[in-house]
Amino acid sequence: MLRHHGVSTILVESHTGMSKIPRLRLVNGRSMEIYRSLGLEPLIRENLSKLARFNQMARAESVAGQEIVRTDLEGLEESSRFSPTSHAPIDQHRLEPILYESAKKAGADLRFGTRLVSLGRHGDGVEATVSDQDGHVSRLRAKYLLACDGHRSTVRDLLGIASSGPGTLKRYATISADIAIDDLIGDRAIGAWFLANPAQGTVLLPHDRPGRWVLMVPYYDGERQNFPGITGIDDFDEATCVELVRSAVGAGDLPVSLVSLLPGGDRFVVDWDFGVSVADSFRSGRVFLLGDAAHLIPPSGGFGANVGIADAHNLAWKLGLVVGGAAHDRLLDSYERERRPVARLTAEAAVDRMDKRTSAGGADPGVAGNLAVVYGHHYRSAAVHPEEPGVPELLDPRNTGGLPGTRAPHLLVRPANGPVEMSTVDLFGRHFVLLAGSQGAAWTVAATQVSTALGLPIRTYLLGHDLHDLEDRWLSASGASEGGALLVRPDGVVGWRASGATDHPEAVLHDVMNTLLALDNAAALRNLEAS
Ligand SMILES: Cc1cc2nc3c(=O)[nH]c(=O)nc-3n(C[C@H](O)[C@H](O)[C@H](O)COP(=O)(O)OP(=O)(O)OC[C@H]3O[C@@H](n4cnc5c(N)ncnc54)[C@H](O)[C@@H]3O)c2cc1C
């Protein structure tokens, strides 16, 4: 994403290759819109999980034991009226190589087997000390540093940024094994087993390779260690892992072949924290926290990585403009202002799903809930021109109708110069876009003038002229009149709305752009106060 916005990038990753640990299993619809804007949708669809049809979950003592309850996995958003794309069931270990190749092709400098060990200031930038596998230490200097180093973030610790929330509630060990249990499973299309053995809260998942399974065992449940003699991940030896797999399956003599989970090694067990926390700050000077480094969200609901993807999407265009000199560094403050509430609300939604999943009925919160969490966030920051104060941070996205701070609407349109239908969502991704109603030509002219004055591309589209609104939905989807317009940020969020025509559109738009780019501090402060 950074390369997409013209930012030179070096990535350091302490592992020597990509992880095979199954975690994310579903890229949600909003993340797919983001990947689509980067041209990655076809590749992702080619690599969908073979397990997509395993769309149920079961609770049982063990796989061989009696099932207590079986439910469908959470209702997924039905997005065809809503978006040009939809969620994609793909496993994290299949997605990451696609992202790796794409970043490499775009010119990112990707350094695996390299660990960040310390961090300091250098002039008006940052200096990171990194160490490679052979222990060679070197220094890297950059204008900004983005910490995407996971829940146990070194960078967050080095900066002394605290987190709020309950923190780690459980500690899990993930074990991967080849086991022959098809006879026990029969024709049950279960994608997740929630088991009482070997400890309450155990999860067993099919891997997308036949015969391979992933067992997640809580060895610490917040109050006590669940297994005598096991206090940390190093206490899991091979025999213990085999016994745990057998206990989950309910077959004491099952042949178990453990499988390494990390690149180039013989580590057949890794651990991870199940919990809820959100960093108190997402920015410290020239350093930003993203993904799990900024927020730990329980796996229930499948939101964690998707929130991280949206963090990166939110920050990348802002950094592109700031590094390129088109916006003031203050624009970057809106990253925390916009993304922290999303992390908090999404963590709450995940906890809610976790509670429902483990409660007697096992009910899920339904599609409306998922739609809001995936598409319905309402940003309130200086990078959004506010209209009404007091609008909630989470909305039903079917009714946001062009409200500044929300995802810009999907309208089915046909370009005047082409026969192919497309979505307005596909117009967003790289530059600001001004979308005007059929009588809003003055806005498109003004946008072109402002674009020239600022030296910053603003793409303009006049409905009825450049694009035909095939379902005649502009008025309801934009909340503006035919003489009005939406100014959409590069991340597809409405930055400002003109409800109708005005006498001096160029002056108005110039003011708005200055504010959104934080070039005018006074106006930016007014924005913040109004929101
Ligand atoms: C069991 C499970 C199921 C999940 N299911 C889903 C799901 O269905 N949907 C979903 O959206 N999310 C899901 N998640 C959450 C998702 O996996 C995480 O949110 C996501 O992996 C976070 O990505 P990240 O890049 O922020 O952090 P990580 O994936 O933790 O990556 C951080 C990286 O930083 C590297 N690193 C750490 N320290 C350093 C250092 N000092 N120097 C260099 N490199 C360093 C690490 O090696 C690691 O590769 C699940 C998580 C788990 C555990």
Side-chain angles (χ1 to χ4, degrees):
M1 289 187 208
L2 287 170
R3 292 298 303 133
H4 185 69
H5 291 285
V7 182
S8 310
T9 308
I10 301 174
L11 175 134
V12 298
E13 162 59 54
S14 52
H15 288 313
T16 52
M18 274 162 282
S19 147
K20 288 181 268 176
I21 306 168
R23 291 182 291 169
L24 163 138
R25 299 197 127 185
L26 188 93
V27 176
N28 71 29
R30 181 61 188 139
S31 299
M32 279 307 290
E33 288 180 351
I34 294 171
Y35 286 141
R36 182 179 165 92
S37 74
L38 298 170
L40 297 177
E41 178 162 26
L43 261 179
I44 291 176
R45 300 247 173 246
E46 272 170 34
N47 283 280
L48 293 187
S49 167
K50 298 179 187 73
L51 296 172
R53 70 179 185 83
F54 289 74
N55 56 2
Q56 293 195 307
M57 54 187 176
R59 272 201 287 146
E61 286 278 310
S62 65
V63 176
Q66 201 178 358
E67 268 184 49
I68 299 163
V69 68
R70 189 168 344 162
T71 53
D72 288 341
L73 286 166
E74 274 91 358
L76 296 169
E77 74 274 4
E78 207 302 289
S79 56
S80 56
R81 286 279 303 152
F82 201 74
S83 170
T85 185
S86 63
H87 58 267
I90 180 169
D91 292 290
Q92 193 156 337
H93 63 281
R94 293 201 184 278
L95 176 65
E96 286 183 0
I98 296 174
L99 303 181
Y100 171 85
E101 285 303 330
S102 156
K104 205 168 72 169
K105 211 165 128 197
D109 177 350
L110 308 173
R111 303 186 188 180
F112 280 68
T114 308
R115 170 177 290 278
L116 179 146
V117 287
S118 72
L119 188 61
R121 268 206 195 143
H122 181 267
D124 60 356
V126 286
E127 182 176 85
T129 305
V130 299
S131 162
D132 70 15
Q133 280 173 288
D134 303 322
H136 295 132
V137 172
S138 56
R139 291 190 169 75
L140 295 172
R141 289 175 186 160
K143 282 191 177 149
Y144 294 96
L145 184 137
L146 276 53
C148 312
D149 53 347
H151 169 55
R152 296 170 191 172
S153 168
T154 309
V155 174
R156 196 186 59 229
D157 286 351
L158 287 170
L159 294 171
I161 298 177
S163 295
S164 299
T168 299
L169 302 171
K170 296 180 186 186
R171 196 152 279 154
Y172 273 80
T174 292
I175 299 162
S176 181
D178 288 335
I179 44 178
I181 55 172
D182 284 358
D183 288 350
L184 276 178
I185 302 287
D187 59 2
R188 293 177 287 179
I190 294 172
W193 291 84
F194 293 86
L195 304 171
N197 293 335
Q200 198 67 44
T202 295
V203 185
L204 183 71
L205 305 169
H207 196 277
D208 66 355
R209 181 172 157 166
R212 184 156 296 175
W213 290 78
V214 179
L215 180 69
M216 300 178 191
V217 184
Y219 66 91
Y220 166 72
D221 74 2
E223 284 171 0
R224 62 194 158 85
Q225 309 293 343
N226 281 329
F227 307 107
I230 293 188
T231 57
I233 197 67
D234 294 335
D235 297 325
F236 285 83
D237 58 20
E238 216 165 317
T240 307
C241 291
V242 168
E243 277 319 304
L244 293 172
V245 173
R246 286 177 174 157
S247 166
V249 173
D253 52 358
L254 181 76
V256 175
S257 172
L258 298 174
V259 177
S260 167
L261 288 161
L262 291 175
D266 54 0
R267 287 271 303 278
F268 42 79
V269 56
V270 293
D271 69 343
W272 54 276
D273 293 340
F274 178 103
V276 185
S277 64
V278 177
D280 291 346
S281 172
F282 283 17
R283 176 177 192 182
S284 171
R286 289 180 166 261
V287 182
F288 298 86
L289 304 183
L290 291 85
D292 281 19
H295 39 72
L296 179 63
I297 296 173
S300 39
F303 299 126
N306 285 290
V307 179
I309 293 164
D311 290 344
H313 190 236
N314 183 285
L315 188 54
W317 69 272
K318 295 174 182 172
L319 270 174
L321 291 180
V322 172
V323 170
H328 193 279
D329 173 274
R330 278 188 304 267
L331 171 63
L332 303 175
D333 288 338
S334 65
Y335 166 69
E336 170 177 324
R337 179 90 189 172
E338 295 180 351
R339 296 305 302 168
R340 231 182 137 255
V342 172
R344 187 176 44 75
L345 289 166
T346 310
E348 282 169 15
V351 170
D352 186 47
R353 279 151 181 76
M354 181 178 77
D355 291 346
K356 292 196 165 100
R357 196 182 266 181
T358 47
S359 69
D364 76 57
V367 171
N370 276 348
L371 272 184
V373 179
V374 173
Y375 298 99
H377 293 282
H378 171 220
Y379 291 159
R380 295 186 294 191
S381 78
V384 170
H385 218 279
E387 286 184 359
E388 311 153 41
V391 178
E393 288 163 321
L394 197 61
L395 300 166
D396 182 336
R398 290 166 293 197
N399 305 323
T400 49
L403 181 73
T406 62
R407 171 180 164 275
H410 155 73
L411 292 177
L412 197 61
V413 291
R414 187 168 52 233
N417 57 0
V420 186
E421 291 176 4
M422 63 177 291
S423 164
T424 45
V425 169
D426 287 333
L427 304 172
F428 317 134
R430 196 182 286 269
H431 301 298
F432 275 91
V433 168
L434 185 122
L435 203 55
S438 59
Q439 291 158 35
W443 287 117
T444 59
V445 173
T448 306
Q449 288 163 339
V450 171
S451 166
T452 309
L454 291 173
L456 176 85
I458 304 176
R459 301 274 178 260
T460 63
Y461 300 93
L462 180 63
L463 290 182
H465 185 263
D466 304 313
L467 300 171
H468 297 289
D469 178 4
L470 296 176
E471 297 171 319
D472 212 8
R473 288 184 54 236
W474 166 254
L475 295 181
S476 63
S478 70
S481 68
E482 291 295 352
L486 296 179
L487 180 66
V488 182
R489 311 188 320 186
D491 58 355
V493 168
V494 179
W496 169 77
R497 170 166 62 184
S499 55
T502 184
D503 285 344
H504 304 289
E506 188 193 343
V508 170
L509 202 52
H510 209 130
D511 239 31
V512 167
M513 282 301 291
N514 275 343
T515 309
L516 298 190
L517 299 172
L519 297 172
D520 168 0
N521 198 25
L525 281 175
R526 277 201 304 278
N527 258 7
L528 258 185
E529 280 159 15
S531 69

